[in-house]
Amino acid sequence: MASLILGLALAALSPARAERPAIEAIEIQGLFRMSREALLHQLGVGVGDPYDPAQVRKRFRELWNLHLFEDLSIDAETGPGGGMVLVVRLRERPVLSSVTFEENRIVTRTQIEDRLREKGIRLDLGKPLDMGAITEVEAAIRDLCAQKGFLDSTVEAKIERITESTRSVSVRVIPGGKTKIRKIEFTGNTIFSDRRLKKQLELTQERRWWWPWSSKTLYHPLKWDQDSGQVRDLYLSRGHLDVQIRPPVVEVVKRNEEKERELAELKAAPLHGLDDTAAPAADETLGATKKKKKAKKPKELPKAPARWVRLTAPIVEGPEYRLGEIRFTGNEKFDQALLRSRMPLADGAVFNDAAVESGIERITRLYEDTGHLYAKVLRQVDRRPDELIADLSISIDEDRPFRIGRIEFNGNSMTRDAVLRRELISREGELFSRTMLDRSRLKINQLGYFQVRGEPVIEPIEDKDRVRITFAGEEQGRNEIQVGGGYSELDGAFFNGVYSTRNFLGRGQVLSTALQLGGTSDRYQISFQEPWFLNRPYLLGVSVFRRDTDYGSTLRSTSDGG
Protein backbone atom coordinates (compact mmCIF):
# COMPACT_ATOMS: atom_id res chain seq x y z
CA MET A 1 0.00 0.00 0.00
CA ALA A 2 1.29 3.39 -0.93
CA SER A 3 1.62 5.96 1.80
CA LEU A 4 2.86 9.51 2.05
CA ILE A 5 4.49 10.28 5.38
CA LEU A 6 5.40 13.83 6.13
CA GLY A 7 7.38 14.56 9.28
CA LEU A 8 6.76 17.08 12.01
CA ALA A 9 8.74 19.65 10.10
CA LEU A 10 6.28 19.40 7.21
CA ALA A 11 3.33 20.10 9.48
CA ALA A 12 5.07 22.97 11.21
CA LEU A 13 5.78 24.80 7.97
CA SER A 14 2.83 26.98 7.02
CA PRO A 15 2.16 27.80 3.33
CA ALA A 16 1.58 31.37 4.42
CA ARG A 17 5.24 31.86 5.39
CA ALA A 18 7.07 34.15 3.06
CA GLU A 19 10.30 32.12 3.20
CA ARG A 20 10.31 28.37 2.63
CA PRO A 21 13.27 26.10 3.35
CA ALA A 22 14.98 24.70 0.30
CA ILE A 23 15.28 21.02 -0.50
CA GLU A 24 18.74 20.16 0.77
CA ALA A 25 18.97 16.58 -0.52
CA ILE A 26 16.89 13.76 -2.00
CA GLU A 27 17.58 10.21 -0.85
CA ILE A 28 16.18 7.28 -2.83
CA GLN A 29 15.97 3.78 -1.38
CA GLY A 30 14.90 0.60 -3.16
CA LEU A 31 15.75 1.40 -6.79
CA PHE A 32 16.67 -1.70 -8.73
CA ARG A 33 15.77 -1.35 -12.38
CA MET A 34 14.93 2.32 -12.85
CA SER A 35 17.79 4.81 -12.86
CA ARG A 36 18.04 7.57 -10.26
CA GLU A 37 17.90 10.22 -12.99
CA ALA A 38 14.68 8.79 -14.44
CA LEU A 39 13.01 8.75 -11.02
CA LEU A 40 14.05 12.34 -10.26
CA HIS A 41 12.69 13.39 -13.64
CA GLN A 42 9.34 11.78 -12.87
CA LEU A 43 9.35 13.24 -9.35
CA GLY A 44 9.64 16.76 -10.76
CA VAL A 45 11.45 18.38 -7.81
CA GLY A 46 15.16 18.74 -7.27
CA VAL A 47 17.81 19.87 -4.83
CA GLY A 48 17.66 23.63 -4.32
CA ASP A 49 13.96 23.97 -5.09
CA PRO A 50 11.74 25.60 -2.43
CA TYR A 51 10.09 22.99 -0.25
CA ASP A 52 6.30 23.03 -0.77
CA PRO A 53 4.33 20.26 1.00
CA ALA A 54 1.38 20.63 -1.38
CA GLN A 55 3.66 20.30 -4.39
CA VAL A 56 5.32 17.21 -2.89
CA ARG A 57 1.92 15.60 -2.32
CA LYS A 58 0.92 16.34 -5.92
CA ARG A 59 4.14 14.87 -7.27
CA PHE A 60 3.68 11.80 -5.08
CA ARG A 61 0.25 11.11 -6.56
CA GLU A 62 1.54 11.54 -10.11
CA LEU A 63 4.44 9.18 -9.38
CA TRP A 64 2.14 6.54 -7.90
CA ASN A 65 -0.28 6.77 -10.84
CA LEU A 66 2.49 5.58 -13.17
CA HIS A 67 1.79 2.04 -11.85
CA LEU A 68 5.50 1.29 -11.68
CA PHE A 69 5.77 0.56 -7.94
CA GLU A 70 4.32 -1.92 -5.49
CA ASP A 71 5.02 0.42 -2.56
CA LEU A 72 5.98 4.08 -2.37
CA SER A 73 6.47 6.61 0.41
CA ILE A 74 8.06 10.05 0.74
CA ASP A 75 9.31 11.35 4.11
CA ALA A 76 10.39 14.94 4.79
CA GLU A 77 13.12 15.46 7.38
CA THR A 78 15.18 18.43 8.53
CA GLY A 79 18.70 18.17 7.16
CA PRO A 80 21.99 19.12 8.85
CA GLY A 81 22.13 22.34 6.80
CA GLY A 82 18.71 23.53 7.96
CA GLY A 83 16.98 22.57 4.72
CA MET A 84 14.63 19.68 4.04
CA VAL A 85 15.71 16.17 3.04
CA LEU A 86 13.22 14.11 1.02
CA VAL A 87 13.57 10.37 1.62
CA VAL A 88 11.88 8.34 -1.13
CA ARG A 89 11.35 4.67 -0.25
CA LEU A 90 9.94 2.41 -2.96
CA ARG A 91 9.64 -1.13 -4.23
CA GLU A 92 9.50 -1.54 -7.99
CA ARG A 93 7.03 -3.82 -9.67
CA PRO A 94 8.69 -6.76 -11.45
CA VAL A 95 8.75 -6.96 -15.24
CA LEU A 96 6.73 -9.58 -17.12
CA SER A 97 9.21 -11.73 -19.06
CA SER A 98 7.02 -14.49 -20.54
CA VAL A 99 3.46 -15.80 -20.77
CA THR A 100 2.72 -19.46 -21.46
CA PHE A 101 -0.54 -21.36 -21.75
CA GLU A 102 -0.67 -25.02 -20.91
CA GLU A 103 -2.27 -27.10 -23.64
CA ASN A 104 -5.81 -28.23 -23.00
CA ARG A 105 -8.64 -29.94 -24.78
CA ILE A 106 -11.16 -27.16 -25.40
CA VAL A 107 -9.46 -23.80 -26.05
CA THR A 108 -6.32 -23.11 -28.07
CA ARG A 109 -3.75 -20.39 -27.52
CA THR A 110 -5.02 -18.62 -30.64
CA GLN A 111 -8.59 -18.61 -29.33
CA ILE A 112 -7.39 -17.26 -25.98
CA GLU A 113 -5.37 -14.47 -27.58
CA ASP A 114 -8.29 -13.53 -29.85
CA ARG A 115 -10.60 -13.29 -26.82
CA LEU A 116 -8.09 -11.15 -24.87
CA ARG A 117 -7.66 -8.88 -27.89
CA GLU A 118 -11.44 -8.60 -28.24
CA LYS A 119 -11.82 -7.54 -24.60
CA GLY A 120 -8.82 -5.19 -24.74
CA ILE A 121 -6.81 -7.15 -22.15
CA ARG A 122 -3.05 -6.78 -22.59
CA LEU A 123 -0.12 -8.59 -21.01
CA ASP A 124 2.81 -6.65 -22.42
CA LEU A 125 6.15 -8.41 -22.13
CA GLY A 126 8.97 -6.25 -20.89
CA LYS A 127 6.58 -4.03 -18.89
CA PRO A 128 5.66 -4.06 -15.18
CA LEU A 129 3.43 -6.94 -14.16
CA ASP A 130 -0.22 -5.92 -13.82
CA MET A 131 -2.06 -8.14 -11.33
CA GLY A 132 -5.39 -6.67 -12.40
CA ALA A 133 -4.75 -7.80 -15.98
CA ILE A 134 -3.87 -11.30 -14.72
CA THR A 135 -7.26 -11.52 -12.99
CA GLU A 136 -9.00 -10.31 -16.16
CA VAL A 137 -7.17 -12.97 -18.19
CA GLU A 138 -8.43 -15.72 -15.87
CA ALA A 139 -12.01 -14.41 -16.08
CA ALA A 140 -11.89 -14.11 -19.88
CA ILE A 141 -10.67 -17.69 -20.31
CA ARG A 142 -13.31 -19.01 -17.91
CA ASP A 143 -15.97 -17.20 -19.91
CA LEU A 144 -14.56 -18.66 -23.14
CA CYS A 145 -14.76 -22.17 -21.64
CA ALA A 146 -18.30 -21.51 -20.41
CA GLN A 147 -19.43 -20.58 -23.92
CA LYS A 148 -18.34 -24.06 -25.00
CA GLY A 149 -20.43 -25.64 -22.23
CA PHE A 150 -17.67 -26.10 -19.63
CA LEU A 151 -19.09 -24.05 -16.76
CA ASP A 152 -16.91 -25.46 -13.98
CA SER A 153 -13.53 -25.10 -15.70
CA THR A 154 -10.56 -24.12 -13.56
CA VAL A 155 -8.24 -21.36 -14.79
CA GLU A 156 -5.17 -20.60 -12.70
CA ALA A 157 -2.42 -18.12 -13.50
CA LYS A 158 0.78 -18.93 -11.63
CA ILE A 159 3.44 -16.23 -11.26
CA GLU A 160 7.02 -17.52 -11.04
CA ARG A 161 10.09 -15.55 -10.06
CA ILE A 162 12.80 -15.67 -12.73
CA THR A 163 15.19 -13.00 -11.42
CA GLU A 164 14.98 -10.26 -8.84
CA SER A 165 13.18 -7.99 -11.30
CA THR A 166 11.42 -10.38 -13.70
CA ARG A 167 8.45 -12.72 -13.44
CA SER A 168 6.85 -15.27 -15.74
CA VAL A 169 3.16 -16.17 -15.91
CA SER A 170 1.96 -19.71 -16.59
CA VAL A 171 -1.76 -20.17 -17.23
CA ARG A 172 -3.29 -23.56 -16.60
CA VAL A 173 -6.73 -24.43 -17.95
CA ILE A 174 -8.47 -27.54 -16.66
CA PRO A 175 -11.80 -28.08 -18.40
CA GLY A 176 -14.55 -29.44 -16.25
CA GLY A 177 -17.31 -31.61 -17.55
CA LYS A 178 -19.78 -30.28 -20.07
CA THR A 179 -23.04 -29.09 -18.57
CA LYS A 180 -25.83 -30.49 -20.73
CA ILE A 181 -29.55 -29.93 -20.46
CA ARG A 182 -31.59 -33.06 -19.92
CA LYS A 183 -34.93 -31.35 -19.37
CA ILE A 184 -36.45 -27.84 -19.50
CA GLU A 185 -39.56 -27.14 -17.48
CA PHE A 186 -41.60 -24.00 -16.79
CA THR A 187 -43.69 -23.35 -13.70
CA GLY A 188 -46.49 -20.83 -13.27
CA ASN A 189 -47.40 -20.78 -16.96
CA THR A 190 -51.12 -21.10 -17.69
CA ILE A 191 -51.47 -19.08 -20.90
CA PHE A 192 -48.88 -21.01 -22.91
CA SER A 193 -47.87 -24.65 -22.62
CA ASP A 194 -44.31 -25.79 -22.00
CA ARG A 195 -44.12 -26.95 -25.60
CA ARG A 196 -45.13 -23.53 -26.92
CA LEU A 197 -42.59 -21.76 -24.70
CA LYS A 198 -39.81 -24.14 -25.74
CA LYS A 199 -40.41 -23.17 -29.37
CA GLN A 200 -39.31 -19.64 -28.43
CA LEU A 201 -35.90 -20.93 -27.35
CA GLU A 202 -33.45 -20.51 -30.23
CA LEU A 203 -30.11 -21.02 -28.48
CA THR A 204 -31.07 -23.44 -25.71
CA GLN A 205 -32.56 -26.88 -26.16
CA GLU A 206 -33.17 -29.97 -24.06
CA ARG A 207 -31.69 -33.28 -25.17
CA ARG A 208 -33.48 -35.05 -28.00
CA TRP A 209 -32.89 -38.76 -28.38
CA TRP A 210 -32.95 -38.58 -32.19
CA TRP A 211 -30.29 -35.84 -32.32
CA PRO A 212 -28.00 -36.12 -29.26
CA TRP A 213 -25.13 -34.18 -30.91
CA SER A 214 -26.80 -30.76 -30.91
CA SER A 215 -24.64 -28.02 -29.37
CA LYS A 216 -27.80 -26.26 -28.18
CA THR A 217 -28.07 -28.74 -25.33
CA LEU A 218 -25.02 -27.14 -23.68
CA TYR A 219 -26.16 -24.87 -20.88
CA HIS A 220 -24.81 -21.33 -20.80
CA PRO A 221 -26.45 -18.58 -18.68
CA LEU A 222 -25.95 -15.85 -21.31
CA LYS A 223 -27.66 -17.90 -24.00
CA TRP A 224 -30.52 -18.65 -21.63
CA ASP A 225 -30.91 -14.93 -20.89
CA GLN A 226 -31.26 -14.21 -24.62
CA ASP A 227 -33.82 -16.98 -25.03
CA SER A 228 -35.81 -15.88 -21.98
CA GLY A 229 -36.19 -12.53 -23.74
CA GLN A 230 -37.94 -14.37 -26.58
CA VAL A 231 -40.30 -15.96 -24.05
CA ARG A 232 -41.00 -12.55 -22.55
CA ASP A 233 -41.80 -11.11 -25.99
CA LEU A 234 -44.35 -13.87 -26.48
CA TYR A 235 -46.20 -12.83 -23.32
CA LEU A 236 -45.98 -9.15 -24.21
CA SER A 237 -47.70 -9.91 -27.51
CA ARG A 238 -50.64 -11.24 -25.49
CA GLY A 239 -51.00 -8.21 -23.22
CA HIS A 240 -49.14 -9.57 -20.18
CA LEU A 241 -47.11 -6.42 -19.58
CA ASP A 242 -46.07 -7.38 -16.03
CA VAL A 243 -44.69 -10.81 -16.93
CA GLN A 244 -41.55 -11.90 -15.08
CA ILE A 245 -39.20 -14.63 -16.35
CA ARG A 246 -37.15 -15.47 -13.28
CA PRO A 247 -33.70 -17.14 -13.36
CA PRO A 248 -33.95 -20.91 -13.76
CA VAL A 249 -33.31 -23.38 -10.97
CA VAL A 250 -30.47 -25.64 -12.13
CA GLU A 251 -30.66 -29.15 -10.71
CA VAL A 252 -28.02 -31.80 -11.43
CA VAL A 253 -29.77 -35.03 -12.40
CA LYS A 254 -26.82 -37.19 -13.41
CA ARG A 255 -23.16 -37.14 -12.49
CA ASN A 256 -20.13 -39.46 -12.18
CA GLU A 257 -18.73 -38.82 -8.71
CA GLU A 258 -15.76 -41.15 -9.10
CA LYS A 259 -14.44 -39.38 -12.20
CA GLU A 260 -15.14 -35.98 -10.67
CA ARG A 261 -13.09 -36.91 -7.62
CA GLU A 262 -10.20 -38.04 -9.84
CA LEU A 263 -10.33 -34.77 -11.77
CA ALA A 264 -10.41 -32.75 -8.54
CA GLU A 265 -7.16 -34.39 -7.44
CA LEU A 266 -5.52 -33.43 -10.72
CA LYS A 267 -6.73 -29.87 -10.36
CA ALA A 268 -4.97 -29.66 -7.02
CA ALA A 269 -1.71 -30.90 -8.54
CA PRO A 270 1.03 -28.35 -9.44
CA LEU A 271 1.46 -27.00 -12.94
CA HIS A 272 3.30 -29.28 -15.32
CA GLY A 273 4.52 -29.34 -18.86
CA LEU A 274 5.19 -25.59 -19.12
CA ASP A 275 7.50 -23.89 -21.59
CA ASP A 276 11.05 -23.05 -20.59
CA THR A 277 11.41 -19.65 -22.20
CA ALA A 278 14.00 -16.95 -21.88
CA ALA A 279 13.08 -13.38 -20.99
CA PRO A 280 12.16 -11.50 -24.19
CA ALA A 281 13.04 -8.01 -25.28
CA ALA A 282 11.10 -5.11 -23.84
CA ASP A 283 9.13 -4.47 -27.02
CA GLU A 284 7.67 -7.97 -27.26
CA THR A 285 3.95 -8.39 -26.63
CA LEU A 286 1.64 -11.26 -25.78
CA GLY A 287 1.90 -13.98 -28.39
CA ALA A 288 5.29 -12.83 -29.69
CA THR A 289 7.58 -14.72 -27.29
CA LYS A 290 10.39 -16.52 -29.09
CA LYS A 291 10.81 -19.94 -27.53
CA LYS A 292 14.36 -21.06 -26.91
CA LYS A 293 13.26 -24.61 -26.24
CA LYS A 294 10.39 -26.58 -27.57
CA ALA A 295 7.54 -26.75 -25.10
CA LYS A 296 7.19 -30.07 -23.40
CA LYS A 297 3.80 -31.54 -24.12
CA PRO A 298 1.83 -31.77 -20.89
CA LYS A 299 0.35 -34.97 -19.65
CA GLU A 300 -3.14 -35.44 -21.06
CA LEU A 301 -5.83 -34.93 -18.45
CA PRO A 302 -8.68 -37.43 -18.39
CA LYS A 303 -11.89 -36.26 -19.97
CA ALA A 304 -14.23 -34.91 -17.34
CA PRO A 305 -17.68 -36.50 -17.23
CA ALA A 306 -20.65 -34.53 -18.52
CA ARG A 307 -23.16 -33.21 -16.02
CA TRP A 308 -26.81 -33.45 -16.94
CA VAL A 309 -29.04 -30.79 -15.46
CA ARG A 310 -32.73 -29.95 -15.33
CA LEU A 311 -33.73 -26.32 -15.80
CA THR A 312 -36.88 -25.16 -14.05
CA ALA A 313 -37.86 -21.61 -15.03
CA PRO A 314 -40.49 -19.90 -12.83
CA ILE A 315 -42.84 -17.53 -14.66
CA VAL A 316 -45.11 -14.89 -13.14
CA GLU A 317 -47.53 -14.14 -15.98
CA GLY A 318 -49.41 -11.20 -14.51
CA PRO A 319 -52.78 -9.94 -15.78
CA GLU A 320 -53.78 -9.34 -19.40
CA TYR A 321 -54.04 -5.69 -20.45
CA ARG A 322 -56.12 -4.21 -23.23
CA LEU A 323 -55.38 -1.14 -25.30
CA GLY A 324 -56.89 2.11 -24.01
CA GLU A 325 -56.23 5.52 -25.53
CA ILE A 326 -53.54 6.32 -28.08
CA ARG A 327 -52.27 9.89 -27.77
CA PHE A 328 -49.82 11.63 -30.11
CA THR A 329 -47.79 14.68 -29.13
CA GLY A 330 -45.32 16.79 -31.11
CA ASN A 331 -46.85 15.99 -34.52
CA GLU A 332 -47.30 18.96 -36.82
CA LYS A 333 -46.74 17.54 -40.30
CA PHE A 334 -49.32 14.74 -40.03
CA ASP A 335 -52.65 14.74 -38.22
CA GLN A 336 -53.78 12.30 -35.54
CA ALA A 337 -56.00 10.29 -37.89
CA LEU A 338 -53.17 9.52 -40.33
CA LEU A 339 -50.78 8.53 -37.57
CA ARG A 340 -53.44 6.38 -35.89
CA SER A 341 -53.98 4.51 -39.16
CA ARG A 342 -50.33 3.42 -39.05
CA MET A 343 -50.88 1.67 -35.70
CA PRO A 344 -52.13 -1.91 -36.37
CA LEU A 345 -54.17 -2.16 -33.15
CA ALA A 346 -57.90 -1.72 -32.71
CA ASP A 347 -59.31 0.14 -29.73
CA GLY A 348 -59.99 -2.23 -26.86
CA ALA A 349 -57.92 -5.05 -28.39
CA VAL A 350 -55.46 -7.09 -26.35
CA PHE A 351 -52.30 -5.03 -25.99
CA ASN A 352 -49.71 -6.40 -28.40
CA ASP A 353 -46.20 -5.09 -27.85
CA ALA A 354 -44.93 -6.44 -31.20
CA ALA A 355 -47.76 -4.66 -33.04
CA VAL A 356 -46.93 -1.43 -31.22
CA GLU A 357 -43.28 -1.70 -32.31
CA SER A 358 -44.45 -2.33 -35.88
CA GLY A 359 -46.61 0.80 -35.71
CA ILE A 360 -43.70 2.86 -34.38
CA GLU A 361 -41.56 1.69 -37.30
CA ARG A 362 -44.30 2.56 -39.81
CA ILE A 363 -44.72 6.05 -38.36
CA THR A 364 -40.95 6.55 -38.38
CA ARG A 365 -40.81 5.43 -42.01
CA LEU A 366 -43.65 7.86 -42.86
CA TYR A 367 -41.51 10.75 -41.61
CA GLU A 368 -38.33 9.43 -43.23
CA ASP A 369 -40.08 9.23 -46.58
CA THR A 370 -40.93 12.93 -46.41
CA GLY A 371 -37.43 14.20 -45.67
CA HIS A 372 -37.49 13.99 -41.86
CA LEU A 373 -34.45 11.75 -41.68
CA TYR A 374 -33.78 12.30 -37.98
CA ALA A 375 -37.36 12.17 -36.70
CA LYS A 376 -37.68 10.38 -33.36
CA VAL A 377 -40.79 8.47 -32.38
CA LEU A 378 -40.89 7.37 -28.73
CA ARG A 379 -43.57 5.52 -26.88
CA GLN A 380 -44.70 5.29 -23.27
CA VAL A 381 -47.17 2.80 -21.80
CA ASP A 382 -49.31 4.01 -18.89
CA ARG A 383 -51.05 1.17 -17.05
CA ARG A 384 -54.40 1.41 -15.29
CA PRO A 385 -54.18 -1.72 -13.09
CA ASP A 386 -57.68 -1.38 -11.64
CA GLU A 387 -59.23 -1.53 -15.13
CA LEU A 388 -56.46 -3.65 -16.77
CA ILE A 389 -56.14 -0.95 -19.41
CA ALA A 390 -52.88 0.26 -20.95
CA ASP A 391 -52.83 3.72 -22.54
CA LEU A 392 -50.23 4.42 -25.21
CA SER A 393 -48.53 7.83 -25.44
CA ILE A 394 -46.42 8.48 -28.54
CA SER A 395 -44.18 11.54 -28.58
CA ILE A 396 -42.74 12.71 -31.90
CA ASP A 397 -39.74 14.95 -32.51
CA GLU A 398 -40.13 15.71 -36.20
CA ASP A 399 -36.88 17.65 -36.68
CA ARG A 400 -36.40 19.54 -39.95
CA PRO A 401 -36.70 17.96 -43.44
CA PHE A 402 -33.56 17.21 -45.45
CA ARG A 403 -32.91 17.10 -49.17
CA ILE A 404 -30.37 14.98 -51.00
CA GLY A 405 -27.28 17.08 -51.61
CA ARG A 406 -24.87 14.61 -53.19
CA ILE A 407 -24.83 10.90 -54.08
CA GLU A 408 -21.44 9.21 -54.31
CA PHE A 409 -20.12 5.68 -54.92
CA ASN A 410 -17.12 3.91 -53.41
CA GLY A 411 -15.52 0.68 -54.57
CA ASN A 412 -16.52 0.87 -58.26
CA SER A 413 -13.05 0.55 -59.73
CA MET A 414 -14.40 -0.59 -63.13
CA THR A 415 -18.04 0.48 -63.34
CA ARG A 416 -18.59 4.14 -64.16
CA ASP A 417 -20.58 6.34 -61.78
CA ALA A 418 -23.05 7.22 -64.53
CA VAL A 419 -23.95 3.54 -64.99
CA LEU A 420 -24.83 3.22 -61.30
CA ARG A 421 -26.41 6.65 -61.01
CA ARG A 422 -28.97 5.95 -63.75
CA GLU A 423 -30.41 3.10 -61.66
CA LEU A 424 -31.21 5.43 -58.77
CA ILE A 425 -34.77 6.30 -57.92
CA SER A 426 -33.62 8.96 -55.46
CA ARG A 427 -32.30 12.07 -57.18
CA GLU A 428 -30.08 14.88 -55.99
CA GLY A 429 -32.07 17.91 -54.89
CA GLU A 430 -35.18 15.91 -53.99
CA LEU A 431 -36.54 15.37 -50.48
CA PHE A 432 -34.89 12.45 -48.77
CA SER A 433 -36.96 9.25 -48.83
CA ARG A 434 -35.89 6.10 -47.02
CA THR A 435 -38.10 3.86 -49.16
CA MET A 436 -36.76 5.31 -52.41
CA LEU A 437 -33.23 4.88 -51.11
CA ASP A 438 -33.86 1.19 -50.34
CA ARG A 439 -35.30 0.65 -53.80
CA SER A 440 -32.31 2.37 -55.37
CA ARG A 441 -29.95 0.05 -53.53
CA LEU A 442 -31.98 -2.95 -54.70
CA LYS A 443 -31.86 -1.84 -58.35
CA ILE A 444 -28.08 -1.37 -58.19
CA ASN A 445 -27.62 -4.85 -56.73
CA GLN A 446 -29.84 -6.33 -59.44
CA LEU A 447 -27.32 -5.22 -62.09
CA GLY A 448 -25.20 -8.18 -61.08
CA TYR A 449 -21.80 -6.57 -61.49
CA PHE A 450 -21.71 -4.18 -58.51
CA GLN A 451 -22.88 -5.16 -55.03
CA VAL A 452 -23.64 -2.55 -52.35
CA ARG A 453 -22.45 -3.70 -48.93
CA GLY A 454 -24.91 -2.97 -46.16
CA GLU A 455 -26.85 0.27 -45.83
CA PRO A 456 -25.72 3.44 -47.61
CA VAL A 457 -23.85 5.94 -45.45
CA ILE A 458 -25.92 9.09 -44.83
CA GLU A 459 -24.08 12.19 -43.56
CA PRO A 460 -25.57 15.65 -43.01
CA ILE A 461 -23.81 18.49 -44.84
CA GLU A 462 -22.68 21.15 -42.38
CA ASP A 463 -24.81 24.31 -42.23
CA LYS A 464 -27.20 22.96 -44.86
CA ASP A 465 -30.48 21.06 -44.78
CA ARG A 466 -28.97 18.49 -47.09
CA VAL A 467 -27.35 15.09 -46.73
CA ARG A 468 -24.60 13.26 -48.56
CA ILE A 469 -25.34 9.63 -49.47
CA THR A 470 -22.50 7.21 -50.17
CA PHE A 471 -23.05 3.73 -51.63
CA ALA A 472 -20.06 1.57 -50.66
CA GLY A 473 -19.71 -1.70 -52.53
CA GLU A 474 -17.46 -3.92 -54.57
CA GLU A 475 -17.21 -5.14 -58.13
CA GLN A 476 -18.62 -8.58 -58.91
CA GLY A 477 -17.46 -11.11 -61.48
CA ARG A 478 -18.71 -9.88 -64.86
CA ASN A 479 -16.88 -12.16 -67.30
CA GLU A 480 -17.97 -15.65 -68.29
CA ILE A 481 -15.99 -18.20 -70.32
CA GLN A 482 -17.32 -21.56 -71.47
CA VAL A 483 -15.43 -24.21 -73.43
CA GLY A 484 -16.57 -27.61 -74.63
CA GLY A 485 -16.35 -30.17 -77.36
CA GLY A 486 -17.91 -33.36 -78.69
CA TYR A 487 -18.69 -35.47 -81.71
CA SER A 488 -21.72 -35.74 -83.98
CA GLU A 489 -22.43 -37.62 -87.23
CA LEU A 490 -23.19 -34.37 -89.03
CA ASP A 491 -20.24 -32.21 -87.89
CA GLY A 492 -17.82 -34.87 -86.75
CA ALA A 493 -15.53 -33.81 -83.90
CA PHE A 494 -16.04 -30.22 -82.86
CA PHE A 495 -14.87 -27.65 -80.30
CA ASN A 496 -16.90 -24.68 -79.04
CA GLY A 497 -16.21 -21.71 -76.82
CA VAL A 498 -18.20 -18.77 -75.47
CA TYR A 499 -16.99 -15.55 -73.89
CA SER A 500 -19.33 -12.88 -72.51
CA THR A 501 -19.04 -9.82 -70.30
CA ARG A 502 -21.96 -8.08 -68.60
CA ASN A 503 -20.15 -4.78 -68.04
CA PHE A 504 -18.13 -4.04 -71.15
CA LEU A 505 -15.61 -1.24 -70.48
CA GLY A 506 -17.56 -0.39 -67.30
CA ARG A 507 -20.50 0.97 -69.30
CA GLY A 508 -23.03 -1.71 -68.31
CA GLN A 509 -23.11 -3.10 -71.87
CA VAL A 510 -23.25 -6.82 -72.66
CA LEU A 511 -20.80 -8.24 -75.20
CA SER A 512 -20.62 -11.92 -76.07
CA THR A 513 -18.78 -13.98 -78.69
CA ALA A 514 -19.21 -17.63 -79.59
CA LEU A 515 -17.47 -19.98 -81.99
CA GLN A 516 -17.68 -23.63 -82.94
CA LEU A 517 -15.02 -25.37 -85.00
CA GLY A 518 -15.87 -28.81 -86.40
CA GLY A 519 -14.90 -31.29 -89.06
CA THR A 520 -17.56 -30.15 -91.53
CA SER A 521 -18.74 -26.75 -90.28
CA ASP A 522 -17.51 -23.65 -88.48
CA ARG A 523 -19.81 -21.16 -86.76
CA TYR A 524 -19.09 -17.67 -85.45
CA GLN A 525 -21.35 -15.23 -83.62
CA ILE A 526 -20.93 -11.90 -81.86
CA SER A 527 -23.68 -9.98 -80.05
CA PHE A 528 -23.89 -6.65 -78.28
CA GLN A 529 -26.57 -5.15 -75.99
CA GLU A 530 -27.01 -1.57 -74.83
CA PRO A 531 -29.52 -1.49 -71.91
CA TRP A 532 -29.78 2.35 -71.96
CA PHE A 533 -29.98 3.42 -75.57
CA LEU A 534 -29.74 7.21 -75.95
CA ASN A 535 -29.47 7.40 -72.15
CA ARG A 536 -33.00 6.08 -71.77
CA PRO A 537 -34.11 2.67 -70.47
CA TYR A 538 -34.49 1.28 -74.02
CA LEU A 539 -32.74 -2.00 -74.78
CA LEU A 540 -30.88 -2.13 -78.10
CA GLY A 541 -29.37 -5.43 -79.24
CA VAL A 542 -27.20 -6.29 -82.25
CA SER A 543 -26.10 -9.77 -83.27
CA VAL A 544 -24.12 -10.97 -86.33
CA PHE A 545 -23.20 -14.53 -87.30
CA ARG A 546 -21.36 -16.56 -89.95
CA ARG A 547 -21.48 -20.25 -90.83
CA ASP A 548 -19.12 -22.16 -93.14
CA THR A 549 -20.09 -25.71 -94.15
CA ASP A 550 -18.02 -28.26 -96.12
CA TYR A 551 -20.19 -30.97 -97.78
CA GLY A 552 -17.22 -32.78 -99.25
CA SER A 553 -15.60 -32.84 -102.70
CA THR A 554 -15.77 -29.26 -103.98
CA LEU A 555 -19.13 -28.35 -102.48
CA ARG A 556 -19.00 -25.65 -99.77
CA SER A 557 -21.46 -23.07 -98.49
CA THR A 558 -21.17 -19.89 -96.46
CA SER A 559 -23.98 -18.03 -94.76
CA ASP A 560 -23.93 -14.92 -92.62
CA GLY A 561 -26.42 -12.44 -91.25
CA GLY A 562 -27.47 -10.34 -88.32
Side-chain angles (χ1 to χ4, degrees), residues 53-258:
Q55 183 70 8
V56 172
R57 285 192 293 269
K58 177 182 177 182
R59 294 297 185 179
F60 168 83
R61 287 191 294 269
E62 293 175 354
L63 194 61
W64 175 253
N65 289 336
L66 295 176
H67 303 292
L68 299 176
F69 309 103
E70 291 183 339
D71 193 15
L72 176 66
S73 66
I74 300 178
D75 296 340
E77 303 174 354
T78 304
M84 300 302 296
V85 177
L86 298 183
V87 181
V88 182
R89 298 182 178 89
L90 54 86
R91 185 168 67 250
E92 294 182 75
R93 288 167 54 188
V95 172
L96 179 62
S97 62
S98 66
V99 178
T100 56
F101 297 95
E102 184 177 355
E103 293 183 12
N104 62 89
R105 201 179 294 111
I106 59 173
V107 290
T108 64
R109 181 186 181 95
T110 301
Q111 291 174 335
I112 293 174
E113 292 178 352
D114 289 344
R115 176 54 61 91
L116 298 183
R117 192 177 302 110
E118 176 186 336
K119 291 184 172 293
I121 303 173
R122 295 178 58 88
L123 291 178
D124 293 329
L125 305 184
K127 294 186 178 181
L129 180 63
D130 187 347
M131 294 304 300
I134 297 296
T135 303
E136 292 177 352
V137 167
E138 293 176 334
I141 297 176
R142 277 194 295 269
D143 181 67
L144 183 60
C145 295
Q147 288 186 0
K148 296 178 177 289
F150 299 86
L151 294 181
D152 59 345
S153 298
T154 300
V155 181
E156 178 187 10
K158 183 179 179 181
I159 302 174
E160 298 181 353
R161 176 174 176 173
I162 305 302
T163 65
E164 182 68 24
S165 61
T166 60
R167 301 289 187 271
S168 68
V169 175
S170 303
V171 182
R172 187 188 196 192
V173 181
I174 302 179
K178 286 187 176 181
T179 304
K180 297 185 177 182
I181 303 172
R182 173 73 70 177
K183 188 70 175 177
I184 298 177
E185 297 177 349
F186 295 91
T187 60
N189 53 309
T190 58
I191 306 300
F192 301 104
S193 64
D194 282 15
R195 182 177 181 181
R196 180 68 180 88
L197 296 178
K198 290 176 185 178
K199 288 184 178 180
Q200 295 296 115
L201 306 179
E202 298 179 355
L203 306 176
T204 309
Q205 188 180 85
E206 62 185 11
R207 183 183 183 275
R208 300 177 180 178
W209 63 269
W210 67 88
W211 192 252
W213 305 281
S214 175
S215 62
K216 294 182 180 181
T217 59
L218 298 177
Y219 173 64
H220 190 272
L222 292 180
K223 292 182 179 180
W224 174 263
D225 289 344
Q226 295 181 38
D227 277 344
S228 63
Q230 301 287 343
V231 175
R232 184 174 184 274
D233 290 342
L234 179 62
Y235 274 97
L236 292 178
S237 67
R238 287 287 298 270
H240 294 268
L241 303 182
D242 300 327
V243 63
Q244 298 180 27
I245 313 297
R246 294 178 176 172
V249 177
V250 182
E251 178 186 1
V252 179
V253 295
K254 183 179 179 181
R255 62 192 304 171
N256 190 320
E257 296 182 357
E258 182 178 350

Side-chain angles (χ1 to χ4, degrees), residues 261-281:
R261 183 165 53 252
E262 179 183 356
L263 188 64
E265 293 175 356
L266 288 171
K267 288 182 178 181
L271 290 170
H272 57 280
L274 298 172
D275 303 24
D276 182 11
T277 58

Side-chain angles (χ1 to χ4, degrees), residues 323-327 347 384 389-393:
L323 179 64
E325 299 180 7
I326 299 182
R327 296 182 294 269
D347 294 338
R384 288 185 271 169
I389 297 296
D391 297 323
L392 184 61
S393 300

